[in-house]
Amino acid sequence: LAPPPAVGAKPAQHVQLVPVPFQYIRKQVIGVLLAAVFCLVASRVNLDYLRRYVWVIVGGCVLLLVLVAIPGVGNRVNGSRRWLGPPGGGAVQVSELAKLGFVFFMAHYLALNQTRVGEFKRGFLIPLGIVGAFALLLAAEPDFGMAALYVAVGVAMLALAGAKKRYLVSAILVPVLALAALVATNENRRARLKKFWEETPYQIEQAQIAFAAGGVDGVGLGQGRQQLSYLPEAHTDMIFAVVGEELGLAFTLGVVGVYVVMLIAGYAHLRRAPNMFQFQLMAGCLLCIAIQTLVNLLSVTGVIPPKGMSLPFISAGLSNLLLMGLLLGVILNTQRTWGRAALPGGTGRLREVTA
């Protein structure tokens, strides 16, 4: 409880600590229903046919990322322009939905150049340029965490394509040095990083309190105190701490176990890929889920500095739910179609390099 105001002090502005009970539930239900529709559509579409329009897809993603950075067009929240659309619940975070377009384009390029991935130009310079273009657009918002996620997914896809080790090392070093330069040249970022190493940030401290309060069995669903405005972003970035407080250690380990089983099953399924394009597309979808999950869990538990990144399938937020629906739909699509025998013939214009 806040201390009583001093004599003669102005009355403090009223702050509502407890949100409207069904506000987030209503939004989450709508988001889940829309994500289910997106998942159904993505699971039934012909991926090879959709590949013919890869330039339209990537062009649309780039255009949206450019528009969101324009003052007066993108919605500015907490110093960053990341959303398009009406503020107050109807805006969409473009960088989330653009992930699938990025993965789709990378899969297309690596499939067309699968036998040339060992070359400097086609196996390093051009792919790094593609990754760098998306990363620079995200850095302009600015959203350095999301830019780093794109880089990690792109480099991992390049490694799965068989790129040479020295190119992979360079592909990792260049973004790391660029990120270090951005931190070194900004006093605010230097201060935040120094504070993380020297003391526990407030957000991480409150998350640790939530885990400690939950113990093994949890305090009960809806009975947690940290969500009452003690823990910032409790319904989005820090939702895992709320799960730990209310449902306990056993449930949180179960959540982690579900993610692990999902990723292991997806990795095993990759062995059935009929061609390089679908292999890379499926791998990219898995990487988006895996890396985002890992970053969120490491942030909440204080292993790495706090980063605003949603926990897939659990955090509130329409944009991430829609993306997860699309990614899961692509995975289910491959599960449905990879067992079928390839039909002979075909008049598609795309030809993958085989010699």
Side-chain angles (χ1 to χ4, degrees):
L1 297 177
V7 178
K10 295 182 179 180
Q13 185 178 3
H14 173 69
V15 178
Q16 184 181 4
L17 293 179
V18 183
V20 179
F22 298 103
Q23 177 184 2
Y24 292 124
I25 294 179
R26 182 173 62 251
K27 290 182 179 180
Q28 195 76 349
V29 168
I30 294 174
V32 169
L33 292 176
L34 289 175
V37 173
F38 277 45
C39 179
L40 178 62
V41 173
S43 67
R44 307 301 299 183
V45 71
N46 187 322
L47 296 175
D48 288 318
Y49 178 81
L50 191 63
R51 188 181 173 191
R52 301 179 183 180
Y53 302 96
V54 61
W55 288 104
V56 177
I57 295 172
V58 71
C61 292
V62 171
L63 177 61
L64 291 175
L65 289 174
V66 171
L67 288 176
V68 79
I70 298 176
V73 178
N75 296 334
R76 190 179 185 89
V77 180
N78 295 329
S80 299
R81 291 188 178 89
R82 304 175 186 175
W83 292 267
L84 283 178
V92 176
Q93 188 174 351
V94 175
S95 57
E96 290 282 4
L97 298 180
K99 288 177 188 174
L100 185 57
F102 169 73
V103 167
F104 199 89
F105 187 64
M106 284 292 295
H108 168 74
Y109 175 84
L110 294 174
L112 286 179
N113 297 275
Q114 57 183 297
T115 60
R116 299 180 181 177
V117 75
E119 300 176 4
F120 175 76
K121 180 180 178 180
R122 293 180 179 270
F124 172 70
L125 202 57
I126 296 179
L128 195 62
I130 296 171
V131 175
F134 276 89
L136 287 175
L137 288 172
L138 292 169
E141 295 181 0
D143 191 349
F144 299 107
M146 191 66 72
L149 176 64
Y150 273 64
V151 172
V153 171
V155 173
M157 292 179 69
L158 191 59
L160 290 173
K164 291 184 177 180
K165 293 182 179 179
R166 63 175 181 270
Y167 296 158
L168 292 174
V169 172
S170 301
I172 296 172
L173 285 179
V174 170
V176 168
L177 293 176
L179 181 61
L182 289 172
V183 172
T185 55
N186 186 281
E187 184 178 354
N188 183 39
R189 298 190 193 105
R190 291 200 310 270
R192 290 176 61 185
L193 186 60
K194 182 180 179 181
K195 184 177 181 180
F196 173 77
W197 291 116
E198 293 181 349
E199 59 181 283
T200 304
Y202 174 80
Q203 197 170 16
I204 299 301
E205 182 181 2
Q206 294 301 316
Q208 292 173 350
I209 293 174
F211 285 120
V216 177
D217 299 324
V219 299
L221 189 62
Q223 302 302 313
R225 296 187 59 188
Q226 291 304 103
Q227 60 177 307
L228 305 180
S229 295
Y230 293 104
L231 178 63
E233 306 298 337
H235 61 297
T236 53
D237 306 337
M238 308 301 287
I239 188 66
F240 191 64
V242 177
V243 172
E245 181 185 18
E246 298 188 355
L247 301 176
L249 177 63
F251 197 89
T252 56
L253 291 178
V255 170
V256 175
V258 170
Y259 284 119
V260 172
V261 170
M262 181 190 304
L263 297 175
I264 291 177
Y267 177 78
H269 178 57
L270 281 173
R271 300 176 61 183
R272 300 172 55 195
N275 54 56
M276 177 62 81
F277 168 69
Q278 296 210 20
F279 173 87
Q280 287 287 345
L281 183 61
M282 167 75 176
C285 291
L286 281 176
L287 286 166
C288 284
I289 298 174
I291 297 176
Q292 184 168 327
T293 300
L294 184 63
V295 170
N296 180 277
L297 296 182
L298 293 179
S299 297
V300 174
T301 53
V303 178
I304 63 176
K307 177 64 196 78
M309 198 164 289
S310 303
L311 183 61
F313 305 107
I314 298 180
S315 292
L318 177 62
S319 302
N320 189 252
L321 279 175
L322 294 181
L323 171 69
M324 291 302 127
L326 289 171
L327 296 179
L328 186 59
V330 172
I331 294 173
L332 293 177
N333 190 314
T334 62
Q335 183 70 33
R336 180 178 61 87
T337 59
W338 282 4
R340 298 180 181 179
L343 295 176
T347 58
R349 297 180 179 179
L350 298 175
R351 292 289 185 271
E352 294 181 2
V353 180
T354 56

